Amino acid sequence: MKKQFIAGNWKMNLSLGEARGLARKICDGLADSEAVDVGVFPSFVYLKDICDILSDSKVFVGAQNMNMEKCGAFTGEVSGEMLKDIGCTHVIIGHSERRTIYQETNSMINSKIKAALFNDLNPILCVGERQEERDADKTREVVESQLSGGLDGLKSEQVKRLTIAYEPVWAIGTGKTATPEQANEVHVFIRNTMRSKYDNDAAHCIRIQYGGSVNSKNAKELLGQPEIDGALVGGASLDANSFLNIVSEAVRFS
Ligand code: PGA
């Protein structure tokens, strides 16, 4: 079993006061146990505050997105170097909301992953199929092309730093979760794909999180699956108790 990684994607939610409060509650509520890795992903404007609050804790702080360029005339954008500078260690790349609403392509995602690694940030690469793709039995095809495109040109040593989040789009924010078996099946496929593209070592090192309506009730069953190494949690990460309950479930399987 691998050390599980539970990440909270706060999306575009919370006031500054609420974000600070949530970070403090998570920090205070975490047992000393090093058994599970925990990370929070606040909105850009709160990152520095949350990094400061959690600087002496074991909770990672990361961004929900970043730009692939180093610096320059990119109004409204944030670079990997800036994220590193304020203390972020992680960054979510290719979330389905970025792919769908902001038309991020696999090639953009690939450039962002390279820029993140260049800046010593650990990327969480999100992949997952839409409902119509699952219905058309195209889940593997879609996930395979997201992995090939997103990881194009990366070496085994680099991909080992990645976390992959399998997030079926139809399960995000809908209350519909993949069954543990459905999720595990895709995780096995992702692991095998990494083995054939890279090597055993890379396939073994990479943690594969499940995401999509994870909550304190369904976490146990999902995290208990052999190939699920953690969760990327949206809605349920906005409440300290639910998030901490998910972390406690993960402790059993780390
Ligand atoms: P959800 O979001 O837990 O609210 O479904 C997950 C995500 O988008 O990462």
Side-chain angles (χ1 to χ4, degrees):
M1 278 196 294
K2 273 189 204 73
K3 191 177 194 179
Q4 297 251 335
F5 180 13
I6 306 296
N9 176 7
W10 296 357
K11 306 195 181 181
M12 197 173 76
N13 291 300
L14 308 173
S15 65
L16 175 58
E18 288 166 341
R20 284 177 171 156
L22 179 56
R24 287 200 186 96
K25 279 191 195 156
I26 291 171
C27 182
D28 295 345
L30 279 179
D32 285 338
S33 142
E34 296 289 319
V36 178
D37 282 334
V38 177
V40 293
F41 295 76
S43 92
F44 282 134
V45 286
Y46 303 149
L47 279 172
K48 173 73 170 76
D49 273 79
I50 305 302
C51 281
D52 290 348
I53 290 172
L54 296 174
S55 62
D56 289 330
S57 80
K58 65 179 193 100
V59 182
F60 302 136
V61 182
Q64 300 167 18
N65 177 34
M66 60 174 268
N67 192 275
M68 70 272 267
E69 302 292 343
K70 197 170 157 22
C71 59
F74 302 100
T75 304
E77 293 294 301
V78 174
S79 72
E81 199 173 309
M82 292 170 181
L83 296 176
K84 186 73 193 167
D85 197 18
I86 60 159
C88 289
T89 53
H90 288 67
V91 58
I92 296 173
I93 295 185
H95 189 279
S96 73
E97 285 147 19
R98 303 282 333 158
R99 292 178 188 264
T100 317
I101 310 172
Y102 302 102
Q103 279 85 47
E104 285 193 11
T105 61
N106 284 327
S107 130
M108 289 160 76
I109 289 163
N110 180 245
S111 303
K112 290 183 181 204
I113 290 183
K114 287 177 177 159
L117 291 169
F118 180 80
N119 286 291
D120 208 22
L121 293 164
N122 301 296
I124 299 183
L125 167 64
C126 302
V127 298
E129 79 288 1
R130 295 195 304 261
Q131 182 71 63
E132 57 273 27
E133 293 164 337
R134 175 161 280 264
D135 294 344
D137 210 12
K138 291 204 163 132
T139 300
R140 287 168 183 237
E141 199 181 306
V142 170
V143 169
E144 208 282 325
S145 83
Q146 290 170 335
L147 290 174
S148 299
L151 303 179
D152 188 38
L154 293 183
K155 300 194 176 62
S156 169
E157 284 313 306
Q158 294 176 298
V159 296
K160 281 185 194 162
R161 295 199 42 191
L162 244 65
T163 299
I164 294 173
Y166 168 57
E167 299 204 298
V169 180
W170 47 271
I172 296 179
T174 57
K176 267 204 249 174
T177 355
T179 64
E181 295 72 27
Q182 273 175 330
N184 195 62
E185 200 178 290
V186 182
H187 282 229
V188 170
F189 173 73
I190 294 173
R191 186 92 59 206
N192 289 340
T193 305
M194 297 312 288
R195 189 172 293 115
S196 61
K197 282 191 192 307
Y198 296 96
D199 47 55
N200 266 329
D201 206 22
H204 179 74
C205 284
I206 289 174
R207 283 186 291 193
I208 309 175
Q209 296 172 320
Y210 170 78
S213 297
V214 176
N215 57 40
S216 46
K217 295 203 175 68
N218 58 29
K220 182 177 166 193
E221 256 200 312
L222 287 160
L223 298 175
Q225 293 296 309
E227 292 296 338
I228 299 187
D229 310 316
L232 180 54
V233 187
S237 72
L238 297 172
D239 176 78
N241 289 334
S242 330
F243 188 66
L244 288 167
N245 283 337
I246 297 170
V247 173
S248 310
E249 295 296 353
V251 172
R252 308 165 183 245
F253 304 112
S254 266

